[in-house]
Amino acid sequence: MTLKKRLLVLNTTIILGLGSAFSIPGVNAESINKLENQKSQIQQQRSNLQATLAEADKELVSVLKEIAELNAKITKVEKAIEDNNKLIAETETNITDTKAEVEKLKEEMAIIEDRIEKRSAILKQRAQSFQESGGSVAYLDVLLGASSFSDFVDRVGAVTTFVQADKQLLEEQEQDKKAFEEKKASVEEELAGLTSMMTELKGMQATMEEQKQQNSSLIQQLKEKENSIADKKAKLQSEDVKYASLIAQIEQSIAAQTAPAAQSVPAAQSVASAQSDSAAMNKQKPAAQKTKGSSTSAPKPSVNGGNAISIVTTAGNKYIGNSVYVFGGGRNAYDIANGRFDCSGFVHWSFSQAGISVGASTDSLKFAGRQVSASEMRAGDLVFFDTYKRDGHVGIYLGGGKFIGSQSSTGVAIANMSSGYWKTKFNGRVVRIIE
C-alpha cells in the first residue's frame, strides 16, 4: 500500500475513532476487560500510524539524498561551464588572431604577386631582346649568327648569363608560389579547426546549460515533495500524541479499578509522560546508509590478456551519471577525483588503470596501436568518430554495438554506435591497443 493510501486509511480511522466523542468509561461502570480491549484497538491503530510515519521518514531521507546528489551534480556542471567558457574565450581570441593572420597573408599575397608579375615582365623583356622582326629567335640561332669566333664567345657568355639569370628567376618564382600556398593552406586549416572547435564548444555549453536548468527544476520538484512529506509527518505526529493520550487515560482507569486504594498518578502527568515518549520516538531517524566510497586503484595487471580488457572497459563505470565533460579534463588529480574528463583524457585514464600507457589526445590515440577493420573490433578497442573534426571523438568499444566514453552531453556514459547519432559519426577507424 502506498504512503498516500495508508495516510488516507489512517486519517479515516482517526476521524471515525476520535471524531465520535471517544469517552473513557467510569471506574464503576465499565469492566477492566472492556478497557483492555479498547486499549488494544487503539494501540493497533497507533502501531499502524507509526509504521506509516516510519515510511514517511524513509521517503524523506531518500528525497534529501536525491537533492544532495543533484546539488553536487549542478556544482560540477557549473564548474565545467566556467572552465569551458574560458576555453571559448581563448578560442575566440585565437580565431581573431588567425583571421588577422589571414588578412596579413592577403597583403603578402599582393606583394608576392607583384614580384611574380615583375619577374614575368623581365623574362618577357629578355625574350624580346633575342627576337628579330617577324618571329622569335632561339638561343642556338643567336650563337650560330656570330660573325667571328670572338663574337661567338661573347654570344655564348651572354646567353649563359641570360639562361642562369632566367633559371634563378624561375626558381624564385616557384619558391614564392610554394611558400605562399603552404602558408595559406596552414592558416586556412588552423582557422577551420578553430571554427569547428568553437561550434563544438558552444553546442556543448548549450547542452550543459540545459542540463543545469533541468537539474534545478528537478530539485524544485523534490523540495516541494520534501515539504509535502514534512507536512504529512507533522499531522501523523499530532495524531500519534492523541493516541498516546487516550492510552494513558485507559491505563489510568484500569489502574484505578485494580488498585482503588493505591495513590494513582495524576492524569495530566500520565498524559504528559505519554506525549513525551511519543515525541522522543518520533524524533528517531532511520540509521543513515553508508555512502559507498570511491574504489581504490585497480591492481596493475599484465598488458596482455582478458584481465586488462576487463579493467579498461569497466574502470569508468563509477563515473556514469557522476561526471561532466570538460575540454582538456582528466589529466590531473583534481579532474579525476571530480569526474571531469574529455574523451581522450578518459581513454588515457581508463587504460592507465590497467597499467597501460597511451596518449591523451585523439591524434596520438589513433596511432597508438594496430589498426583493425570495423568488422573485427572487439571489447577494449578504440573507436573514433568525426565530430567537430576528423577523429574528433574517441571511446572504448564494449561489444554489442556499445562504447563507453566521455560525451559532451552526458559526461562518462555508455552510448550506442550501431544506430542514431553515433552511428552517423563513426568513421570506421578502430585501433587495438591490447592484443
Side-chain angles (χ1 to χ4, degrees), residues 58-297:
K58 185 177 179 181
E59 187 176 359
L60 184 59
V61 168
S62 177
V63 169
L64 292 174
K65 182 180 177 182
E66 282 188 69
I67 291 174
E69 289 174 348
L70 279 171
N71 278 325
K73 190 172 182 181
I74 286 176
T75 299
K76 287 183 178 181
V77 171
E78 286 176 340
K79 177 60 176 172
I81 289 173
E82 178 185 344
D83 291 344
N84 286 319
N85 277 334
K86 291 179 182 177
L87 187 55
I88 286 176
E90 291 174 6
T91 304
E92 287 175 338
T93 300
N94 290 337
I95 288 175
T96 301
D97 292 343
T98 305
K99 286 182 176 179
E101 194 173 349
V102 169
E103 292 302 316
K104 184 179 178 182
L105 184 61
K106 289 179 179 179
E107 294 175 3
E108 291 178 2
M109 185 194 319
I111 295 171
I112 291 172
E113 287 177 342
D114 184 60
R115 287 206 304 262
I116 291 173
E117 184 64 29
K118 287 179 178 178
R119 289 194 194 104
S120 297
I122 292 171
L123 290 170
K124 183 177 180 181
Q125 184 179 1
R126 288 182 178 175
Q128 289 175 344
S129 68
F130 288 101
Q131 289 179 353
E132 294 180 344
S133 57
S136 63
V137 177
Y139 289 137
L140 182 58
D141 294 332
V142 173
L143 295 176
L144 293 177
S147 58
S148 64
F149 181 74
S150 177
D151 185 27
F152 176 79
V153 172
D154 291 340
R155 291 194 179 205
V156 168
V159 169
T160 302
T161 301
F162 286 139
V163 169
Q164 289 177 345
D166 291 348
K167 183 179 180 181
Q168 184 178 351
L169 285 172
L170 290 171
E171 287 176 352
E172 289 175 356
Q173 290 278 73
E174 292 302 317
Q175 287 173 1
D176 270 352
K177 289 180 180 179
K178 183 179 180 181
F180 174 77
E181 292 299 330
E182 287 177 352
K183 189 169 185 180
K184 180 182 178 183
S186 174
V187 171
E188 288 179 347
E189 182 180 358
E190 182 181 359
L191 182 59
L194 287 170
T195 303
S196 296
M197 183 177 176
M198 178 62 75
T199 301
E200 184 84 356
L201 280 168
K202 288 187 174 179
M204 181 184 66
Q205 288 296 81
T207 301
M208 283 187 168
E209 291 288 355
E210 184 178 350
Q211 287 178 348
K212 181 181 173 182
Q213 293 299 324
Q214 290 174 350
N215 288 338
S216 298
S217 176
L218 185 54
I219 283 180
Q220 182 60 36
Q221 293 175 24
L222 288 173
K223 284 189 176 296
E224 290 174 1
K225 187 175 181 181
E226 176 191 355
N227 293 334
S228 175
I229 295 172
D231 289 342
K232 291 175 183 177
K233 276 190 62 180
K235 291 178 181 177
L236 288 169
Q237 288 168 345
S238 175
E239 299 302 336
D240 185 62
V241 169
K242 293 179 182 178
Y243 277 131
S245 177
L246 289 173
I247 291 172
Q249 292 178 47
I250 291 174
E251 287 177 343
Q252 184 180 12
S253 295
I254 292 173
Q257 287 198 29
T258 56
Q263 185 176 359
S264 61
V265 178
Q269 181 179 341
S270 298
V271 171
S273 176
Q275 291 174 342
S276 176
D277 291 343
S278 173
M281 180 199 65
N282 287 329
K283 287 181 180 179
Q284 293 179 353
K285 300 293 182 180
Q289 296 181 349
K290 293 183 179 180
T291 303
K292 293 183 179 179
S294 300
S295 58
T296 56
S297 298

